Amino acid sequence: MNVPSPVITINQVSKIFNQGSAEEVVALQDINLEIQPGEFVSFIGPSGCGKSTLLRLIADLGTPTVGEVVVNGKTPAQARLGREYGFVFQAATLYEWRTIKKNVQMPLEIMGYSAQERDERANRMLEMVELGKFGNHYPWQLSGGMQQRASIARALAFEPSLLLMDEPFGALDEFTRDRMNMELLRIWEQMKVTIVFVTHSIAEAVFLSNRVVVMSARPGRIKDVIEVDLPRPRLFETREEPAYYNYITQVRESLRDAFQQA
Ligand code: ADP
Ligand code: MG
């Protein structure tokens, strides 16, 4: 039997900023985690516990002080060059002077895709996030939720096997966020992509994830990994299930301890 190899292996990772100086910060300490293909894994924890730092190490936007990160069997730098992941930030980082479609095409331009290929892919991705009719609009003509959907379309333009998302819906109202969560799960199921997701919302983490990784601060460590065994597909009604509330309580209690440690 072939055991699938993990998409991400985080092996004994620590990250220390300004090491040896008075401003030294141990942002991450002794992090060990494997993420398998097709998983949806969320990170939650007090502000400053190193969630963004960890995501950035996976994305090669920083290097561990100790330990190693492996992405698809490669270094994060190699995975970055191979365009093996997409990254979505908290605020939609769209270019104001480009239409939505031109924004989605941007990474494809940089990579030298033909005009036809760019056009086809952008159309496909915009359809997927239900912005098919908005390709010719400018970012300011769209709501915050639509802009964030456009950012997701852009991150998926390469059809990467891995999507890294740092509080992508943090700035949205709760109703829009609930809808975006449904959309994201639909995309995740359709594209069979692995998602690593950072959030402040316990409800969001439980609703979306296979596993919720609870972190504690100073130093940032993994405190608990909670498996969320709710049936798929997750539906509107999932949020009314007693089992869903039980998971929320479990994460909340784990987080409470994480805050007390901090
Ligand atoms: P989170 O995303 O969980 O809120 P971060 O990963 O942004 O936390 O930050 C973790 C810790 O590392 C914080 O104490 C933060 O101030 C510190 N930190 C993050 N980036 C840097 C940096 N480039 N230089 C110095 N300290 C940093
Ligand atoms: Mg952060």
Side-chain angles (χ1 to χ4, degrees):
M1 281 271 291
N2 263 350
V3 181
S5 40
V7 177
I8 298 171
T9 304
I10 301 166
N11 191 5
Q12 213 51 40
V13 163
S14 296
K15 177 69 180 180
I16 305 165
F17 290 107
N18 307 316
Q19 195 169 24
S21 82
E23 288 93 56
E24 182 172 294
V25 179
V26 183
L28 295 169
Q29 192 169 62
D30 299 333
I31 305 288
N32 289 292
L33 191 71
E34 276 189 0
I35 296 176
Q36 305 300 333
E39 272 201 283
F40 197 126
V41 176
S42 292
F43 287 84
I44 194 164
S47 186
C49 73
K51 303 179 293 295
S52 295
T53 301
L54 190 58
L55 216 56
R56 292 172 61 84
L57 295 182
I58 298 168
D60 189 43
L61 300 170
T63 50
T65 311
V66 181
E68 63 166 359
V69 177
V70 182
V71 181
N72 289 334
K74 302 168 195 163
T75 66
Q78 288 166 333
R80 176 148 82 126
L81 287 174
R83 299 272 169 174
E84 291 176 33
Y85 64 83
F87 204 114
V88 180
F89 298 91
Q90 174 164 11
T93 50
L94 300 170
Y95 295 98
E96 291 296 323
W97 64 90
R98 286 183 158 236
T99 64
I100 293 302
K101 188 162 165 184
K102 288 278 183 196
N103 264 285
V104 174
Q105 290 180 344
M106 179 97 167
L108 302 173
E109 282 171 30
I110 293 169
M111 289 296 281
Y113 282 63
S114 72
Q116 190 190 342
E117 179 90 354
R118 292 200 307 261
D119 197 60
E120 281 171 10
R121 284 195 179 222
N123 287 341
R124 197 160 70 238
M125 293 306 147
L126 286 173
E127 284 297 331
M128 173 123 58
V129 299
E130 291 175 2
L131 287 177
K133 294 193 178 72
F134 293 90
N136 293 325
H137 287 60
Y138 286 87
W140 54 270
Q141 294 176 302
L142 271 54
S143 70
M146 291 162 89
Q147 290 185 27
Q148 201 54 305
R149 265 160 38 210
S151 296
I152 294 170
R154 186 176 56 186
L156 291 172
F158 282 104
E159 302 186 27
S161 59
L162 174 62
L163 191 57
L164 306 172
M165 308 183 86
D166 195 353
E167 301 191 33
F169 308 137
L172 305 178
D173 67 74
E174 205 171 333
F175 299 109
T176 310
R177 181 196 285 231
D178 284 357
R179 268 196 295 112
M180 296 290 291
N181 284 347
M182 295 299 287
E183 295 252 354
L184 184 61
L185 285 184
R186 186 177 53 76
I187 292 166
W188 171 68
E189 273 154 23
Q190 206 170 322
M191 293 192 77
K192 312 245 176 281
V193 62
T194 306
I195 298 185
V196 183
F197 191 92
V198 170
T199 178
H200 268 123
S201 162
I202 298 171
E204 183 174 60
V206 167
F207 183 72
L208 293 174
S209 311
N210 295 89
R211 288 193 289 161
V212 177
V213 180
V214 178
M215 295 181 68
S216 61
R218 269 170 281 276
R221 289 177 192 264
I222 293 180
K223 192 179 163 294
D224 282 315
V225 179
I226 294 165
E227 301 241 0
V228 181
D229 193 15
L230 292 170
R232 303 271 185 189
R234 307 240 169 116
L235 307 166
F236 186 82
E237 292 73 26
T238 303
R239 293 196 181 89
E240 293 165 358
E241 299 276 339
Y244 169 75
Y245 283 102
N246 289 341
Y247 283 118
I248 287 188
T249 303
Q250 207 178 327
V251 174
R252 179 170 288 127
E253 285 177 356
S254 173
L255 267 173
R256 184 183 53 198
D257 297 344
F259 272 94
Q260 277 163 358
Q261 278 171 7

